[in-house]
Amino acid sequence: MSAKPNVNRWAIAVVAALGMAGGYLYWRSSWVGGSNPLESAKVVPQDALMAAYVVTDEHQWSKLDEFGTPGAQAAIARTVADLEANFLAQTNLDYKTDLQPWIGNVTLAWVPSSATEVATTSLNSDLLLIVGIKNPFRAWWFARNLRSQSQLTLNKFNYKGVTVSQIVPPQGMSIYQATVNNKLLISQQRSAVEKAIDTTTSESSFLMKNGAQELVEQSTELDNALVHFYLPDYSQTVAPMSNRLSDRASLPQVDGVKSVLLSAGLHPQGMRVRFLTEVDPQSIPQYPPVSNQLLNRFPAETIALVNGHGIGQSWSTLVGQSQAQPELQGVLLAIRQMFAAVNLDVDREVFGWMDGEFGLGLISSHEGLLGQLGFGGAVVFETSDRPAAEAMLQKLDAIGRNVIPFPLAIAQRNVSGINVREWKIPLQGALLGHGWLDDNSLFIAFGGPIIEAIATPASSLQESPRFQELAGSLSNPNHGYLYLDMEQITSVINTLPFMMGVKLSPETLDLLNSVRGIGGTGTWTSATQFQSEMLFSLRKTREIPTQ
């Protein structure tokens, strides 16, 4: 059993089982749970930076077989086959015969590296895997067969009464493993396994970490959950990450965030994801729930929408946080300079009057100036400072006259009793229009048909069956929705690359065609906790026409 050079492999098939937990379980596995989040967390060392828990119940994962296009399922199958080839081809082991019968639920923990060892990642943390053993006899049989492989060197030693095995492959790094309380502990670093053994013989564990026990207990409240991710000390973990990953994407630093729990699970329509974020109420102010009456301003043809409350207050919060974050100062400076280039003060004239609810949407349309795109856009703002908004609109019209590099005719017309100022391109139609839907509701719409749709929607977005399908199971009251009609958006995406000379891969299109829609919302569940939910409505395979 050999390992390819320059690949940080784990020497034997346990790596394959755990590395493939996400993909292989999706496809055709037959695992059952061997632990629960609370039991597994008791084995995770207290100093772990973060942890994840993967439920491996075959009956739950197999429900995902109902969804997706044949092409998307085939793409997943190919990925799984590649993983199996990369990890198992060198081991003379078979996944279904040697691993599947005994492996239960899996916990992954990132443990700070020992000062005496070389860190396995740039984050100076070691990955510790805790595998529930659902069939001890089959696990013993696997270990017996493993020891018989001549290309492996096995060394054993005793640590506080527990036998630890070091498995050395011909190439690549060794791994250490031990069995405690019907759980298999695995790591490429000896210190990580020893820390886990220490944890099982003491009162100290991940659950003692500030905020961790609450996260683990709350993760059990989501029905049909498959995966949980625990980040109990957000600021202390993310700051070092960002410093070491300065040249790569990393988690955003947000002042006031204490901990984060991410849970993902099954839903009759597809998949549901939930975030629970514990915050410092002094750093992140609460907003009142939105009325969602503004959704009635958008027509049923809306294919994407974000709505919420308090853009102006959010901007002020970012400005305040930027005092301690130089990188954020740079972003805000760039935004200010962009608006200053067209003679707009971003703090006073742009965000200063946005103190009410807002909605931003994309609306399907195949007519007018933007008809070739297949959609137009609109934004609606509620404000208590109409004079400030009017002043911004006057400057906006001046920008249209003096900055736009083609001739515009700006004139006012009445649309079903609403006075609208339109920007028209001669002989082509309206490019933009703005007006007041009532005394405190301003709209700006792009495209002539969109102006008409916002001013006098035949039916509202809330009456759309797709919106009701996605929003019906989400929290309400809430602080705003995210809504994506993916079937309509995919139709637009299929057109845009053709117009731009870009061709999407068949695999990408298959994945897009597997999603009916995406809905999300957020709400404060207490003075210090914000809950976000996302529902991915997937197309059932039997409903998808075969090509």
Side-chain angles (χ1 to χ4, degrees), residues 409-431:
I410 300 179
Q412 185 163 303
R413 74 181 180 101
N414 187 283
V415 180
S416 301
I418 296 174
N419 292 322
V420 179
R421 289 185 65 81
E422 288 185 327
W423 297 9
K424 285 190 174 183
I425 299 176
L427 304 179
Q428 296 190 52
L431 174 65

Side-chain angles (χ1 to χ4, degrees), residues 110-125:
W110 286 262
V111 182
S113 299
S114 169
T116 62
E117 298 184 45
V118 177
T120 58
T121 75
S122 60
L123 299 179
N124 287 338
S125 64

